[in-house]
């Protein structure tokens, strides 16, 4: 208790970060503060910002959050958009895909309410190639979306960290001139969590960048 390790830290995290930075962040916190109780909840970015203001979480791992009143955002790392497609899809034979390659494909997308900026990046990426993507279905989570891709329902642009999931029947390919999105750490400016400095140090140790 004297060392500041006792207590609880409530962390929200987007799903993609649960495959990358969040577990490393938690390990770093527990290594520095063995008595700290850490609770992690998977939440979409807009929900996390609401949860911060409602004092339901102390720290948030979010994606591409725009300026938000009363909330501090620290950039951690950027990752490119890649394409998830059925393993036997004709485009899987190519090592790198362009936006033009996707013109005639059906898309499995995140709802815009879940990830507004990423959704808009997909639309803009296709618009630069002169087409509007045909939406076959939307999925509320990555498991649903990759299941739909595996079943041949469509292709799905995703943050690159989801490629580490290794979903059977799904392959991932890089996209030429793909947009990038930034994963960030967020907290309330008026009441930063007591272990914020340790959390930022753990983020650096995880190989991410503190601004």
């Amino acid at each position: 208790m004297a060392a500041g390790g006792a207590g609880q830290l409530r962390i929200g995290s987007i799903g993609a970060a649960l495959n990358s930075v969040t577990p490393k962040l938690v390990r770093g916190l527990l290594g520095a503060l063995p008595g700290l109780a850490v609770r992690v909840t998977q939440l979409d970015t807009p929900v996390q910002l609401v949860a911060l203001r409602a004092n339901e979480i102390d720290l948030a791992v979010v994606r591409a959050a725009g300026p938000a009143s009363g909330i501090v955002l620290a950039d951690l790392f950027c990752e490119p958009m890649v394409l998830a497609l059925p393993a036997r899809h004709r485009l899987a034979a190519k090592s790198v895909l362009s936006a033009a390659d996707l013109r005639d494909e059906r898309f499995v997308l995140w709802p815009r309410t879940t990830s507004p900026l990423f959704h808009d990046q997909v639309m803009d990426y296709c618009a630069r190639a002169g087409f509007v993507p045909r939406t076959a279905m939307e999925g509320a989570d990555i498991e649903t979306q990759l299941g739909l891709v595996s079943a041949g329902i469509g292709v799905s642009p995703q943050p690159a960290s989801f490629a580490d999931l290794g979903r059977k029947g799904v392959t991932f390919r890089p996209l030429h001139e793909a947009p990038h999105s930034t994963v960030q750490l967020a907290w309330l400016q008026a009441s930063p969590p007591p272990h914020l400095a340790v959390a930022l140090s753990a983020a650096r140790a995880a190989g991410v960048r503190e601004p």
Side-chain angles (χ1 to χ4, degrees):
M1 293 176 66
Q8 182 182 53
L9 186 66
R10 302 163 298 172
I11 301 175
S13 176
I14 55 172
L18 291 172
N19 301 303
S20 55
V21 66
T22 303
K24 297 177 183 177
L25 172 61
V26 171
R27 283 199 301 270
L29 282 166
L30 296 179
L33 303 166
L36 181 67
V38 179
R39 187 180 73 189
V40 179
T41 305
Q42 181 176 341
L43 299 168
D44 297 325
T45 292
V47 179
Q48 288 195 69
L49 299 182
V50 172
L52 279 173
R53 293 193 174 99
N55 194 33
E56 294 171 353
I57 58 175
D58 306 303
L59 199 61
V61 182
V62 299
R63 180 185 303 282
S69 177
I71 291 178
V72 180
L73 294 166
D75 291 349
L76 296 180
F77 65 94
C78 288
E79 60 179 335
M81 180 190 298
V82 299
L83 189 74
L85 65 163
R88 296 186 178 182
H89 194 284
R90 59 181 179 81
L91 292 177
K94 300 186 68 173
S95 58
V96 180
L97 301 174
S98 68
D101 290 327
L102 313 182
R103 183 185 302 273
D104 298 324
E105 301 301 319
R106 296 181 300 169
F107 282 65
V108 175
L109 297 175
W110 288 94
R112 192 179 186 280
T113 53
T114 298
S115 187
L117 187 139
F118 187 79
H119 185 278
D120 291 348
Q121 284 183 327
V122 173
M123 296 298 165
D124 291 344
Y125 184 67
C126 295
R128 291 201 303 269
F131 71 97
V132 176
R134 294 184 298 155
T135 304
M137 292 188 70
E138 292 183 338
D141 53 64
I142 187 61
E143 292 81 7
T144 299
Q145 292 181 49
L146 294 185
L148 294 169
V149 171
S150 177
I153 302 300
V155 302
S156 186
Q158 296 290 345
S161 52
F162 279 132
D164 295 333
L165 289 177
R167 177 63 183 256
K168 184 178 180 180
V170 178
T171 190
F172 290 83
R173 291 291 180 268
L175 292 166
H176 180 62
E177 297 184 342
H180 287 63
S181 58
T182 304
V183 174
Q184 304 153 307
L185 208 61
W187 62 89
L188 277 182
Q189 185 174 22
S191 55
H195 305 297
L196 176 61
V198 179
L200 287 172
S201 177
R204 289 195 299 269
V208 297
R209 177 179 59 86
E210 180 189 354

